[in-house]
Amino acid sequence: MRTIIPIPAFRDNYIWAVTHERSVAVVDPGDAAPVFAWLEANDMRLTAIIATHHHADHVGGIPALCERHDVPVLGPARETVPGRTQALGEGDHIDVPGVALSLAVFDIPGHTAGHIALYSTDADPVLFCGDTLFAAGCGRLFEGTPAQMWSSLGKLASLSPATRVFCGHEYTLANLRFAEAVEPDNAAIRARTAREQAKRERDEATLPSTIGAELETNPFLRAARPAVMAQAAAHAGRNIVDPVDSFAALRAWKDGFR
Ligand SMILES: [Zn+2]
């Protein structure tokens, strides 16, 4: 049976451990130490490493892991990933070694220029999306334009609502505070805030999310809705002419939101 478990790293990163029997593949190992500790504590064998994008808090642990484990490193074709053995891009399909998981690859530029997502279409659909789609939020635009990010988020939003979303950071409560500011009348956001707060009080991860929950509560996926566009326009103090413009205004608003 497959399980997907968060290994916390740094202040708020999650390294995702995909297990099958005694094998494990890790997604976005920014730090090797917590992975080594987890492998030892759980008596598991590392069989593959996957990276969604090149940021150090997602790939920084790869060299140390590869020193001790001779495993394939799968990562985006258009970015520099240490030790990469297989370059991935839009339309690729991979079988992750050791863990009985087949994944389709999407290009989702915006946070970084070559960011990828990985999606399984089996009976339990799962999505690994790094720092692009967060629970109730999205990544900052370090290397891409609002139009690119809006298009990338649209690809992810069109997946099955049941898809479980495994993203790279525990940002959910801060993101929900912003979501409530954008949509103060959205009852789904208030209900979700209560649920996620309870998880954090129990010291649990708020992730995975689902695409269905994101469609109801994530302001960045809801940027084309008239009520959200109106709020974006009011905050920006200008006319908002289309969904990309609305998304750009929301992203700028969130960048300054405390
Ligand atoms: Zn990043």
Side-chain angles (χ1 to χ4, degrees):
M1 196 189 95
R2 183 210 305 155
T3 65
I4 306 177
I5 297 162
I7 302 175
F10 308 117
R11 205 163 70 95
D12 50 32
N13 282 73
Y14 290 126
I15 299 165
W16 292 105
V18 183
T19 77
H20 177 67
E21 296 169 354
R22 304 243 60 83
S23 297
V24 58
V26 291
V27 180
D28 285 353
D31 190 4
V35 178
F36 286 137
W38 189 91
L39 290 170
E40 192 171 342
N42 294 279
D43 190 24
M44 300 288 276
R45 183 175 60 95
L46 187 67
T47 57
I49 296 168
I50 299 171
T52 62
H53 67 293
H54 70 86
H55 283 161
D57 63 324
H58 294 251
V59 304
I62 294 175
L65 289 170
C66 287
E67 265 179 37
R68 283 202 224 166
H69 300 272
D70 183 19
V71 298
V73 177
L74 297 80
R78 294 186 293 139
E79 298 194 347
T80 302
V81 174
R84 190 185 64 207
T85 59
Q86 189 174 347
L88 305 178
E90 179 82 26
D92 287 342
H93 290 264
I94 55 169
D95 290 313
V96 185
V99 295
L101 179 63
S102 297
L103 295 169
V105 181
F106 303 135
D107 287 334
I108 50 166
H111 176 69
T112 61
H115 200 304
I116 59 169
L118 302 109
Y119 175 62
S120 83
T121 52
D122 61 16
D124 171 28
V126 297
L127 173 71
F128 298 100
C129 53
D131 288 353
T132 296
L133 175 63
F134 289 128
C138 76
R140 286 176 186 259
L141 305 184
F142 288 118
E143 299 174 11
T145 64
Q148 283 179 317
M149 191 63 146
W150 174 248
S151 166
S152 295
L153 291 172
K155 274 188 198 175
L156 306 183
S158 70
L159 301 174
S160 158
T163 303
R164 292 191 297 152
V165 178
F166 296 86
C167 42
H169 290 269
E170 180 62 65
Y171 289 160
T172 310
L173 292 182
N175 287 341
L176 283 167
R177 277 198 298 280
F178 177 69
E180 286 203 57
V182 176
E183 290 191 272
D185 299 328
N186 183 330
I189 292 173
R190 280 199 301 280
R192 185 174 187 188
T193 298
R195 279 199 309 278
E196 308 296 19
Q197 267 171 348
K199 287 184 202 165
R200 295 308 290 151
E201 281 161 17
R202 296 192 298 267
D203 213 20
E204 291 172 13
T206 60
L207 304 173
S209 177
T210 63
I211 291 295
E214 294 314 311
L215 291 171
E216 289 189 343
T217 59
N218 190 319
F220 297 101
L221 298 191
R222 298 167 63 79
R225 291 180 173 248
V228 174
M229 288 179 82
Q231 281 283 88
H235 187 270
R238 61 180 175 84
N239 282 337
I240 294 289
V241 296
D242 61 28
V244 171
D245 198 15
S246 175
F247 172 79
L250 289 171
R251 189 58 263 179
W253 181 1
K254 175 69 164 60
D255 287 344
F257 187 81
R258 290 289 174 270

